[in-house]
Amino acid sequence: MTVCVEGLSVRYGARVVIEDLDIIACSGALTAIVGPNGSGKSTLIKAICGDLSYDGVVTLNGLDVASAHPWELASQRAVLPQASTLAFPFHAIEVVRIGLTAGTGGAQAGRAEAALARVELAGYANRYYQELSGGEQQRVQLARVLAQIWEPCTGQGPRWLMLDEPVSSLDVAHQLQVMSIAKEFARGGGGVLAVMHDLNLTGLFADRVVVMAEGQVLAAGPPEEVMNDAVLSQAYGCALRVNTTPHGPAPFVLPHTAEAHAAP
Amino acid sequence: MARARRLHGWLALAVVLVGLFSLTVGATDVALGPALWKLATGEALTRMEMIVLWDIRAPRLVLGLLVGAALAMGGAVMQGLFRNPLADPGLVGVSAGAGLGAITAIVLAGAAPAWLAVATGDHLVAVAAFFGGWASTLLLYRVSTRRGRTSVATMLLAGIALGALAGALSGILVYISDDRQLRDLTFWGLGSLGGASWAKVLAAGPIILLSLAVASALGRGLNGLALGEATAGHIGLNVQWVKGGAILTVAGATGAAVAVSGGIGFIGIVVPHLLRLSSGPDHRPLLINAALLGALLLVLADVIARVIIAPAELPIGIVTAVLGAPVFLWILLRQRGMVDL
């Protein structure tokens, strides 16, 4: 089962943000979308989540996103937004429980508690959301998202985790924790689509990378193929040198190389 | 949550007790006890008892319950819709819009086409107030919400502008009104339950009860909306339905309340705040508790307004403002930093 995007175009007023874009993401894999600021990554994931109007066709497990009911989509995918403010003083556990609102097989007792434990915030259930740090708030939101689609794969097929810059406000240990949770979700048969800024975490965790630039797909494929000097340098508009660690094929990028290149 | 649910029972009990108490106090010394005893033993009530209890105090009590519940629940729903604890129909011009509707109906009733008079019957003022409230809620929401985010600053400023505009238009209507209409308008504008009658209960009651019924189904949706409009959609809520229901509820509750009682302030903002402090922000119990506590406090305020300078009467708006404003300030001080404005 797949997320399938065909001929996608998105306009904000007269400005074209994405034009005639095709991508496919398969379940069982973590697909990362990378690219410079303004390349259309977040717009792409918003279109896939059904948040904005677009031209073209987006399907999720064969379900047409534009015409599906919100509750149909909610049973198949959950979305972690970039940043979340909360209007009222809810407890952390209440925020997670609101994620179970859709009642799509997620109403089992103890689910919310288990989801908080999954992101290592078990003792935070009765803390006020507003009193948590930015990183803790982000993990509470992740727990909410996990609670919504707890089993990665059900009788109806795989479920999807949509992550918009999931690690941007986290320290390195929690970046690894969150990416591991996402990876495990994919290993369990679910699909993961993540907009990423961190190329190194992308190289380490992604099964497939989509590199975007100026509203188009520049390259797509496994990280060791796609993440090379030429593609990344072109996408980000600066000279980047990709390397690999002695332990495995995962590529890494150091800003030092761009700096060294620019110096002379 | 459990605590908020337990509150339902206690509040309902308190409403009954305060309601009975309000039937026994007033400018005359007609007491409820002997009258009830007479009813129970089949003895006829005196004419005085009939008039005071049935024609004066009972409709006033029922109207107070309805208006209090409508104002408090309207405030709670509006705060949920705007994701902002400062939203209140009185503060952001919705009451003024409803007032403009009511004034228009009072002044221009004679000029209204015959079919309108037939269609609305005795309810013309209430219906007009509903449309005034509905139009201003909708306009306010459109102006202050962009791409699913409501700007507080824009909301408050737009509310001030809307309120001023509605006030100015109301002023023009007052200017062209005749002497009898002017007298009606003045009484209406005082913000009082003084003119309560069964006719007013019948005019406002159905709209308020319908609004309360719709609102009691909005709890889940408003909880989702607290996470932001996009997220509310992601977890499977039909956001358009939730928003549409909330706007109609606010308009219905505020419009009908304003039509029969003028502008009574602070119930809509203080009651939901007190409840969030005592039993949490979950809208499912909150909306019902708000209706109960609003009814309770307004009837209590009305009792105070009636006895404090008896046999004269204080406008109830003064009582709610004197009691409500300090509570509101105290809440703001306590909540500083807790609520993301």
Side-chain angles (χ1 to χ4, degrees), chain A residues 28-114:
Chain A
L30 194 161
T31 304
I33 304 166
V34 301
N37 294 330
S39 59
K41 310 183 294 291
S42 288
T43 304
L44 172 60
I45 204 150
K46 283 199 177 81
I48 293 171
C49 294
D51 291 352
L52 40 80
S53 52
Y54 54 78
D55 296 320
V57 180
V58 179
T59 57
L60 186 134
N61 293 349
L63 191 68
D64 180 37
V65 168
S67 62
H69 292 295
W71 52 91
E72 289 177 308
L73 290 171
S75 66
Q76 311 248 359
R77 63 102 180 87
V79 185
L80 182 71
Q82 234 174 66
S84 320
T85 55
L86 194 56
F88 302 108
F90 282 100
H91 290 136
I93 192 80
E94 290 176 305
V95 173
V96 180
R97 288 211 183 100
I98 292 173
L100 301 173
T101 297
T104 46
Q108 279 88 344
R111 171 67 51 82
E113 289 79 1

Side-chain angles (χ1 to χ4, degrees), chain A residues 12 49 51 70-71 73-74 77-79 81 84-91 94-95 98-99 101-103 128 130-131 141 144 148, chain B residues 79-80 83-85 147 149 220 223-224 226-228 230-231 233-239 276 280-283 335 337-340:
Chain A
Y12 287 147
C49 294
D51 291 352
W71 52 91
L73 290 171
R77 63 102 180 87
V79 185
S84 320
T85 55
L86 194 56
F88 302 108
F90 282 100
H91 290 136
E94 290 176 305
V95 173
I98 292 173
T101 297
Y128 284 111
Q130 277 89 349
E131 288 178 346
Q141 293 287 347
R144 171 182 69 71
Q148 187 185 332
Chain B
Q79 286 146 29
R83 268 161 278 145
N84 192 297
R147 292 217 192 117
R149 280 188 63 85
R220 229 172 49 118
N223 280 348
L227 297 177
T231 298
H234 294 156
I235 62 176
L237 294 165
N238 188 330
V239 177
R276 280 194 207 101
D282 187 332
H283 285 90
Q335 294 262 101
M338 274 303 296
V339 177
D340 183 19

Side-chain angles (χ1 to χ4, degrees), chain B residues 243-270:
Chain B
K243 290 195 307 193
I247 288 174
L248 281 179
T249 304
V250 169
T254 310
V258 167
V260 292
S261 67
I264 297 176
F266 286 101
I267 295 281
I269 201 157
V270 166

